[in-house]
Amino acid sequence: MNVELLVSLVSEHKELYDKRDSDYKNLDKRELLWSGIAEYILLWSGIVFLFYIKRHLMSRNEFACSLGSSSAKIAWV
């Protein structure tokens, strides 16, 4: 989990952590905010995961292509 992302999202909403905020005791609002933050983090994590998978597959494909091109240069006797 990206802790910096979580901290930045929570820090935007004082009602989640500041007891002096007028909406701190509004449980419906806080629950809605936490749900939104969770949804955003899940979405972001999914995007990052797909990026790493795509990058990994591309690097494997490039590796296979480079093997294929070098094998074409071999002279069979």
Side-chain angles (χ1 to χ4, degrees), residues 13-26 30:
H13 302 284
K14 281 189 164 190
E15 56 267 45
L16 292 176
Y17 62 88
D18 188 355
K19 292 181 179 182
R20 295 173 293 179
D21 191 280
S22 60
D23 284 329
Y24 180 80
K25 291 185 178 181
N26 185 343
R30 287 176 44 204

Side-chain angles (χ1 to χ4, degrees), residues 13-58:
H13 302 284
K14 281 189 164 190
E15 56 267 45
L16 292 176
Y17 62 88
D18 188 355
K19 292 181 179 182
R20 295 173 293 179
D21 191 280
S22 60
D23 284 329
Y24 180 80
K25 291 185 178 181
N26 185 343
L27 297 179
D28 291 333
K29 184 172 184 176
R30 287 176 44 204
E31 184 176 332
L32 186 64
L33 287 170
W34 278 118
S35 295
I37 289 171
E39 192 173 314
Y40 185 85
I41 288 176
L42 285 173
L43 176 66
W44 181 250
S45 298
I47 291 170
V48 170
F49 177 73
L50 289 175
F51 169 77
Y52 283 118
I53 293 295
K54 181 74 172 176
R55 187 173 74 175
H56 176 72
L57 292 175
M58 287 178 65

Side-chain angles (χ1 to χ4, degrees), residues 66-76:
S66 67
L67 286 177
S69 64
S70 65
S71 64
K73 296 177 185 176
I74 296 175
W76 297 97

